[in-house]
Amino acid sequence: MSQTRKQRAARCFAALRAAIPDPRTELHYHSPFQLLVAVVLSAQSTDKAVNLCSAGLFAAAPTPKAMWELGEEGIRAYIRSLGLFNAKARHVHALSGALLQRFDGQVPNSREALESLPGVGRKTANVVLNTLFGEPTIAVDTHIFRVANRLGIAPGKTPLAVEKGLLEVVPADVRKDAHHLLILHGRYTCTARKPRCADCALFSCCAWPDKTLWQRSPS
């Protein structure tokens, strides 16, 4: 393990903690079940778009039983504005049934159990384990994949490679918050098309060679 990469990660996360003192999900939810559903709905959709849809959906069906009874078509009516809404409606309906049948309507707190639910893969399970149960997991989405590679703290060609790289270098005392620190940084500062390098608290510890092109905001 490169000591330089570990040192860079420590500096970056110290700066992130100072810049984002209260890192948390931007998805709206009022129960573990609702968070699970919101995360499933967020695939290839923004949190803002999910929140707009889920407000009505959760008012109509706040629990697994109510969601199951609402039915796939009923769920679909609330989420039509989201990408992949047909598959998402099918998954949300099926996972609601699975929770009722196998977990007494409760969201399980193990990776194996979560990934056994329809529509729940490794990334969704990581988000739920981290946000609901405080596990030091890191769900690598497009934002985190981009940020980790640009910073040089966990370069990788696949989300799993980046996840493993991050788990090797993220300081233990920040591991629980690392997911939300990175995703919020990628969402609002280290953006894909117009990164705000001029305003970035991580500029000095970032290994991205193109950062100097964005040191001044483009006109």
Side-chain angles (χ1 to χ4, degrees):
M1 172 59 57
S2 168
Q3 186 63 26
T4 300
R5 191 153 63 89
K6 281 187 174 180
Q7 290 174 336
R8 181 181 295 120
R11 291 173 59 203
C12 287
F13 278 101
L16 279 174
R17 268 188 155 175
I20 309 173
D22 187 26
R24 62 178 65 190
T25 182
E26 293 185 314
L27 291 170
H28 296 169
Y29 66 98
H30 299 288
S31 70
F33 169 68
Q34 291 180 13
L35 175 68
L36 174 60
V37 170
V39 177
V40 170
L41 295 179
S42 71
Q44 298 186 40
S45 298
T46 66
D47 286 3
K48 182 178 180 180
V50 171
N51 291 336
L52 289 173
C53 294
S54 66
L57 177 62
F58 293 156
T63 65
K65 185 175 185 295
M67 193 72 74
W68 175 256
E69 292 174 347
L70 181 61
E72 188 177 326
E73 186 58 39
I75 296 168
R76 188 181 296 118
Y78 285 99
I79 65 170
R80 287 187 181 278
S81 62
L82 299 179
L84 307 175
F85 69 89
N86 282 315
K88 291 176 180 178
R90 183 170 64 253
H91 289 151
V92 168
H93 185 244
L95 74 82
S96 299
L99 289 174
L100 292 170
Q101 294 167 10
R102 295 193 276 122
F103 300 104
D104 297 321
Q106 303 300 309
V107 176
N109 63 355
S110 76
R111 178 184 301 282
E112 182 181 8
L114 284 166
E115 291 188 12
S116 75
L117 296 171
V120 178
R122 183 178 183 86
K123 184 174 71 173
T124 296
N126 276 344
V127 174
V128 172
L129 289 169
N130 179 260
T131 304
L132 287 181
F133 303 112
E135 295 290 332
T137 56
I138 301 175
V140 178
D141 68 350
T142 56
H143 296 300
I144 294 179
F145 186 84
R146 177 176 66 253
V147 171
N149 274 285
R150 281 182 177 173
L151 290 176
I153 60 175
K157 294 183 179 180
T158 67
L160 183 58
V162 169
E163 179 187 337
K164 290 180 177 179
L166 286 170
L167 293 175
E168 290 177 351
V169 300
V170 174
D173 64 340
V174 77
R175 185 79 61 82
K176 188 172 72 70
D177 291 329
H179 169 75
H180 289 114
L181 286 169
L182 290 169
I183 198 170
L184 291 171
H185 182 67
R187 186 173 291 165
Y188 296 110
T189 301
C190 192
T191 54
R193 294 187 178 182
K194 294 183 178 181
R196 296 173 52 209
C197 296
D199 305 314
C200 183
L202 278 63
F203 189 89
S204 64
C205 64
C206 177
W208 189 38
D210 290 347
K211 67 181 182 181
T212 55
L213 301 177
W214 296 92
Q215 194 167 7
R216 294 184 177 180
S217 300
S219 56

